[in-house]
Amino acid sequence: MKKLASILFTFLLILSCSEDKDDNVSQVSTTFNFTHNWEGTLVTNANFNTIQYINANGEELSIEKLRYLISKITFQNTNGKTYIIDGYNLVDVTNNSNLSFSSVTTIPTGDYTNVSFVFGFNNDDNYNNNYPDLNSTSWNVPEMLGGGYHYMQLEGKFIDNTTTETGYAYHAIRAVDNSGTNLEFEDTFIEVNLGEVTITNNATFNIEMNIAQWFKSPNTWDLNVLNNMLMPNYDAQIMIYENGQNAFSLESVTQ
Amino acid sequence: MKKWLLHICIIILFIFTSCTNEPVGEYVAVPTSSPLQIPQLFEENILNPIIPIDNPQTVEGIALGKKLFFDPILSANNTQACADCHAPENAFTDSSRFSDGIDGVFGNRNSMPLFNLAWNYDEKFFWDGNTFGLEHQAFVPVSDPIEMKSSWAQLEAELQQHPEYPNLFQQAFGASTIDSTLVTKAIGQFERTLISSNSKFDNYLLGKTELTSQELNGFNVFMDESRGDCFHCHGSDKNPLWTDNIFHNNGLDETFSDIGLGAVTGDPADNGKFKSPSLRNLNFTAPYMHDGRFTTLDEVINHYSEGLKNSVTIDPLMKKLTQGGVGLTDIDKTDLKAFLLSLSDYEFINNPNFKNQ
């Protein structure tokens, strides 16, 4: 057995020696980890289903579901060249899945003036593709609102101003006004900029989302007024977009 | 690393051993592969079905599974087949509220329709998802004390002595000893062929037919977050399964006599949650809900419109609870019903491949 193993090993060594042409180019891979907090306190699905958070407007609330889409991770280097990481990732906090995203796309080591990703899909990605994995998990936006996909689903319960426990479904999509004969859109996907980074090796980006931020600023969110049916609510989508600008931050890069 | 090497060694060993001394003359029938025919709308919109690698679809396996499915030999006193509670004309459920087992004892849950099961990606079966995998599921009813009440040892012996079965198992699996694993594999193969994808609405999406204005408005009610808002849980034109196969409390009760998913996970936050059923074939699957409490679709629609009951685990999507729901207009209700019925697939319930003949 041992002998066989060593024969095999040599065999594999020989195989792996040939045709390896990129030895001198330092291409590295990247991983993006997503963690979540409520004003600094870690939130995982273990903290779901219990009313324990207080938003900026003073409502006590729980989280029962949180999933959101990120796409188009982009590295821009010092001479203006951009590298776009293939694929998108549906972060699913409820099921503790896809909290980490690695792509097969590699990037060269070096200095980058900015790293960014898109919260949601840009319009091109949103409308020009049919994604079976996202359809299978019912991530679509109805055709009557222009189709495409959700950006985020955040759901739970809050104590309303009659002290009744009430559901909320904070769903982010592309803002659309469907009151007239034609749908009127406003872009609400968010380009999240993580800033400069020097890549020397395979790198892991640790990204944080402060969930409280979605209720905080610039718009103090009143769940008593805005708790459900937000998808066809153009103004609410704009507010979500504005509040989301500061929801994400880069905690650290390890490499 | 070590494990990986070991795997390669095993593979190489396999290749070596399979090269030497090929036994000639001992003919083993190889079952004929019969991959699932994936409908166009499924192919275009959703992920591929789940087929376990150790149970590929074969012509012989499917035929055997079908025979077993319709054969009362599976029950203790040979009076009840799977098909008694899962009848083709009812999209493979039954029309009674609770199904009676072989002794006439009733369970406390409504039988479930069987179709598109290979697309249940999480593979959680039953109303409360207590069983993982279709093959495992088939283990349950045979020995369930209020269903078929048989024992696997008894069934295996009976099948082994049967004039036809040993030969059929031989053809399907190349095995002369019949055991429970093979029985459930065959049944699983047959169940995976039960694909429903040919309703009026499917044909509308394929551009082969038109919907009435009622059905179209009903679809809009279904998709409109401020009216029906059914699509978050029950699929859509982009998810032709018409279910998310996920567990929710849709507001049936204030307190639960059957806690559903909660009993499976042990988490009180799951109490009162049941798997969203597919809305295909509602024309054939009454009564509705896990306990069959509603006999008509009107009752179901009234429930969502004004009959919602609050409880701590109710889904956040169930809105306007103080009014019992969103309060659909009479027109929207009628149209929603017309739309729901357009998801019924007559070809499916009449498909001769699925009938005992």
Side-chain angles (χ1 to χ4, degrees), chain A residues 1 8-9 49 64 130 132-133 135-136 138 140 142 144 150 153 156-157 168 171 228-232, chain B residues 1 4 6 8-9 44-47 121 220 223 225-226 231-232 238-239 269 312 314 316-317 319-320:
Chain A
M1 189 63 175
L8 249 170
F9 201 69
N49 306 315
E64 293 186 8
N130 195 16
D133 55 337
N135 297 342
S136 298
S138 297
N140 305 82
M144 58 171 65
H150 283 79
Q153 292 178 338
K157 305 277 167 60
Y168 69 87
H171 288 196
N228 231 309
M229 300 182 270
L230 303 183
M231 295 176 73
Chain B
M1 183 63 172
W4 175 66
L6 192 74
I8 297 199
C9 292
E44 285 169 5
N45 290 301
I46 54 173
L47 297 173
Y121 302 110
N220 285 337
M223 298 298 289
E225 213 191 17
S226 19
F231 72 96
H232 278 116
K238 294 286 181 187
N239 183 337
V312 281
I314 194 170
L317 292 169
K319 42 189 167 278
K320 302 205 174 164

Side-chain angles (χ1 to χ4, degrees), chain A:
Chain A
M1 189 63 175
K2 248 195 186 152
K3 221 180 202 172
L4 188 65
S6 48
I7 293 173
L8 249 170
F9 201 69
T10 342
F11 188 58
L12 280 170
L13 270 181
I14 295 170
L15 265 184
S16 53
C17 282
S18 58
E19 284 294 327
D20 213 3
K21 285 181 185 148
D22 49 14
D23 277 349
N24 299 323
V25 190
S26 12
Q27 284 287 36
V28 296
S29 62
T30 53
T31 299
F32 287 79
N33 289 339
F34 296 88
T35 45
H36 308 86
N37 68 76
W38 186 277
E39 298 293 13
T41 308
L42 178 71
V43 177
T44 70
N45 65 351
N47 310 107
F48 279 20
N49 306 315
T50 309
I51 296 197
Q52 55 179 317
Y53 304 110
I54 301 180
N55 69 12
N57 202 44
E59 282 102 37
E60 295 173 63
L61 59 92
S62 69
I63 300 166
E64 293 186 8
K65 181 199 259 187
L66 173 57
R67 47 183 196 161
Y68 59 92
L69 183 70
I70 63 109
S71 62
K72 273 247 163 357
I73 297 174
T74 304
F75 287 81
Q76 181 150 29
N77 74 10
T78 36
N79 22 0
K81 194 169 178 345
T82 53
Y83 298 87
I84 297 174
I85 306 284
D86 280 342
Y88 52 86
N89 186 42
L90 183 61
V91 180
D92 186 346
V93 187
T94 320
N95 294 306
N96 214 13
S97 61
N98 293 354
L99 300 186
S100 182
F101 173 64
S102 320
S103 167
V104 287
T105 316
T106 55
I107 56 161
T109 51
D111 292 334
Y112 290 90
T113 50
N114 189 29
V115 184
S116 64
F117 65 85
V118 168
F119 166 79
F121 269 149
N122 68 19
N123 298 337
D124 189 30
D125 289 341
N126 199 30
Y127 301 118
N128 297 339
N129 280 312
N130 195 16
Y131 305 93
D133 55 337
L134 299 181
N135 297 342
S136 298
T137 183
S138 297
W139 193 241
N140 305 82
V141 169
E143 216 55 58
M144 58 171 65
L145 297 177
Y149 294 86
H150 283 79
Y151 300 164
M152 180 169 74
Q153 292 178 338
L154 168 60
E155 297 173 11
K157 305 277 167 60
F158 72 104
I159 310 287
D160 73 9
N161 49 18
T162 64
T163 66
T164 312
E165 201 172 306
T166 304
Y168 69 87
Y170 190 108
H171 288 196
I173 64 168
R174 187 177 183 212
V176 53
D177 180 350
N178 66 345
S179 57
T181 37
N182 291 320
L183 298 177
E184 303 285 347
F185 293 98
E186 182 76 38
D187 289 348
T188 48
F189 63 85
I190 299 173
E191 189 174 305
V192 180
N193 292 309
L194 305 175
E196 289 175 30
V197 62
T198 301
I199 302 285
T200 55
N201 214 325
N202 288 341
T204 300
F205 288 75
N206 297 304
I207 293 164
E208 284 275 348
M209 180 210 268
N210 178 5
I211 304 165
Q213 182 56 46
W214 294 103
F215 300 98
K216 195 165 150 190
S217 62
N219 308 295
T220 308
W221 195 274
D222 186 349
L223 278 173
N224 291 292
V225 183
L226 296 169
N227 52 59
N228 231 309
M229 300 182 270
L230 303 183
M231 295 176 73
N233 186 334
Y234 177 92
D235 295 332
Q237 291 305 325
I238 300 291
M239 287 166 69
I240 292 175
Y241 166 74
E242 291 170 348
N243 284 7
Q245 299 297 320
N246 296 312
F248 293 94
S249 59
L250 178 62
E251 276 314 290
S252 61
V253 184
T254 50
Q255 43 188 348

